[in-house]
Amino acid sequence: MVYRIHFTAEDLARTRVAAAPLPSVELDIAVRMVQERSHPVRFGAWRQQALRRLRPQARMILDLISPRGASPDFLGATQTDSPEEFLQQVRSTPSSRVQRDLARIAERRALPAWVRRLADDEELLEQLWDTWEHVYEQLLGSYWPHIVERVAAERAARMRDVLEGGIARLFAGLNPQRIRWEAPVLHITMASGLDADLRLEGRGLLLVPSVFGCESPVVNPDAQPQPMLTYPADGDQRPLLLTATLHASTSHNPAASLATLLGRTRAAVLVAIAERPGCTTRELATTVGVAPASASEHATVLRTAGLIDTMRLKNMALHSPTSTGLALLDSGTD
C-alpha cells in the first residue's frame, strides 16, 4: 500500500527543495510528537521541557491536532518560512474558514464541545490564536535557530546530490526506508497506509526538510502554490538532539548581552549577519524568525549605524558585518 506521486518533465523542472524549514509543518508535527513517547533519545528532553512549560489552555491545540489523523487546514495552510508571518496568517483566518475546516475534522473524529462555539464567540477564537502562539513559543521558539541551521545544511547536501547525480539521486536520498523513485513515479510508504495517486499536472513538488518529521513522510496535495512532501532533515548528519543544553545555548547567545543596547530583535539580526556573512534579507528573516520587511528595517538601522554593509546583487541585498559590528559583538561576549 503506497502513495504514488506522478511526474511529468514539467513537474521535474519545477520540483525544488524548500529554502528553509516551514513553521507550519514543524509545529504541526511537533504538536503530535509532544503527545507521544516515540524517539525518547531524540525528543525526550524536549518533550519533558515542553510539557512543563505549556499552560493548561494548550489543551485546546492538543484537542485539534491529535497524534494521528488530519489536523485543521487553517492551522497550517501556509508555506511561508517566517514564524512571524506564519503566526500572523493563522490569526487572520476568517471565522468561516475555521468553521468549515473544523466541520471536516468532525466528520472523522469527535471534537470537544467548545469547538462548536468558535464561529460565534470572538473571545474564544482570540483565546485559540493566543494559545497557538504560546504553543509555538514553547515547542519551537527557543530551538528555531538550530532547526534553521540544520535544514540549511540538509538543503546544501541535497543540492550536491542534484549536481552530482541529478533528480534520481535527490529522490534516492530523501528517506530510503519510505520513499522510492521509479521514474516517473515517486512511491511513498505512508504511516497511515494510504493508497492513492497524486498527479502534479505541471505544478512540481516542494520537498520540505523537517527536524520533527524524522520518520514518516507527510504529503499535502492541496498546499499552495504546489503540493509538498516532507522528509527527514538528517541526511548524512547525526540527528539533531533537542536537549535542555541546546535550549540553554539559544537562550544565552551573544544577542542577549546586546539586547539592552540594540533591542532583542536587532541584536539577534546583527548576530545572524555575523554568523552568515553575505546572507540575503530573506535568509536573515528566516534565521531570526521575523518577516522579511522587519528584517530589512533592522538591517537598515544597523547599516546606518555602521555595524553592517549591504551589497546589491541583481534583486538581492547581501548583508555582512563591518569591523565595528564584529568588535561590538566581541565586547558583548566578554
Side-chain angles (χ1 to χ4, degrees):
M1 305 288 282
V2 296
Y3 191 98
R4 295 166 295 276
I5 301 180
H6 300 259
F7 289 77
T8 64
E10 188 175 6
D11 293 317
L12 291 174
R14 292 183 176 177
T15 291
R16 58 195 178 95
V17 178
L22 300 187
S24 58
V25 171
E26 293 295 346
L27 186 52
D28 181 88
I29 301 176
V31 170
R32 299 171 188 270
M33 192 68 69
V34 81
Q35 301 176 72
E36 298 181 352
R37 296 183 179 180
S38 59
H39 304 283
V41 174
R42 184 168 186 172
F43 297 118
W46 163 82
R47 187 178 287 120
Q48 291 177 11
Q49 183 180 59
L51 291 174
R52 285 197 304 266
R53 293 162 62 96
L54 286 174
R55 296 196 295 258
Q57 294 91 326
R59 172 49 57 186
M60 298 178 73
I61 303 303
L62 304 187
D63 285 341
L64 295 182
I65 302 179
S66 62
R68 295 288 183 268
S71 57
D73 288 342
F74 67 83
L75 291 179
T78 173
Q79 289 189 1
T80 180
D81 53 26
S82 162
E84 185 179 72
E85 285 186 358
F86 161 60
L87 294 172
Q88 289 176 348
Q89 288 180 19
V90 172
R91 184 176 284 274
S92 64
T93 305
S95 58
S96 58
R97 168 72 181 280
V98 174
Q99 188 175 18
R100 183 175 67 252
D101 286 355
L102 290 176
R104 178 179 62 85
I105 299 298
E107 293 176 353
R108 305 181 183 185
R109 60 183 173 89
L111 291 175
W114 62 264
V115 169
R116 294 193 292 270
R117 307 196 335 257
L118 277 177
D120 304 313
D121 191 331
E122 293 184 5
E123 184 175 342
L124 182 62
L125 188 58
E126 191 68 20
Q127 181 182 350
L128 177 65
W129 302 146
D130 290 343
T131 303
W132 185 235
E133 294 182 4
H134 164 71
V135 169
Y136 166 79
E137 288 298 332
Q138 303 312 317
L139 268 58
L140 295 186
S142 297
Y143 297 100
W144 193 251
H146 298 286
I147 293 173
V148 169
E149 291 173 2
R150 171 51 60 95
V151 168
E154 168 59 27
R155 187 174 192 265
R158 297 288 74 78
M159 292 303 95
R160 186 175 64 248
D161 283 344
V162 173
L163 291 174
E164 297 178 356
I167 288 291
R169 182 180 295 186
L170 169 65
F171 286 154
L174 295 180
N175 187 344
Q177 289 73 37
R178 291 182 175 269
I179 299 176
R180 176 171 47 88
W181 172 245
E182 292 184 1
V185 180
L186 196 63
H187 300 259
I188 305 167
T189 302
M190 306 287 286
S192 63
L194 178 64
D195 187 323
D197 291 271
L198 171 62
R199 300 186 185 280
L200 297 173
E201 299 177 339
R203 294 170 295 173
L205 184 68
L206 178 64
L207 302 171
V208 182
S210 173
V211 168
F212 282 92
C214 61
E215 183 176 349
S216 301
V218 175
V219 178
N220 186 343
D222 301 316
Q224 296 296 330
Q226 59 190 153
M228 70 179 189
L229 166 68
T230 69
Y231 70 94
D234 289 338
D236 300 328
Q237 310 170 78
R238 296 179 62 183
L240 177 62
L241 303 181
L242 300 180
T243 63
T245 302
L246 186 64
H247 177 274
S249 70
T250 303
S251 301
H252 298 88
N253 58 50
S257 61
L258 297 174
T260 302
L261 177 64
L262 301 177
R264 179 174 175 269
T265 302
R266 194 161 296 152
V269 168
L270 179 58
V271 170
I273 293 173
E275 292 178 343
R276 301 167 182 78
C279 63
T280 67
T281 301
R282 175 161 287 279
E283 290 169 342
L284 181 60
T286 300
T287 301
V288 179
V290 299
S294 178
S296 178
E297 179 182 345
H298 289 301
T300 298
V301 174
L302 294 173
R303 183 168 58 252
T304 302
L307 301 178
I308 70 168
D309 283 328
T310 299
M311 180 180 71
R312 293 284 175 180
L313 180 63
K314 296 183 179 180
N315 62 338
M316 294 187 298
L318 307 179
H319 309 288
S320 297
T322 63
S323 57
T324 303
L326 292 174
L328 180 61
L329 284 172
D330 288 340
S331 66
T333 58
D334 292 341

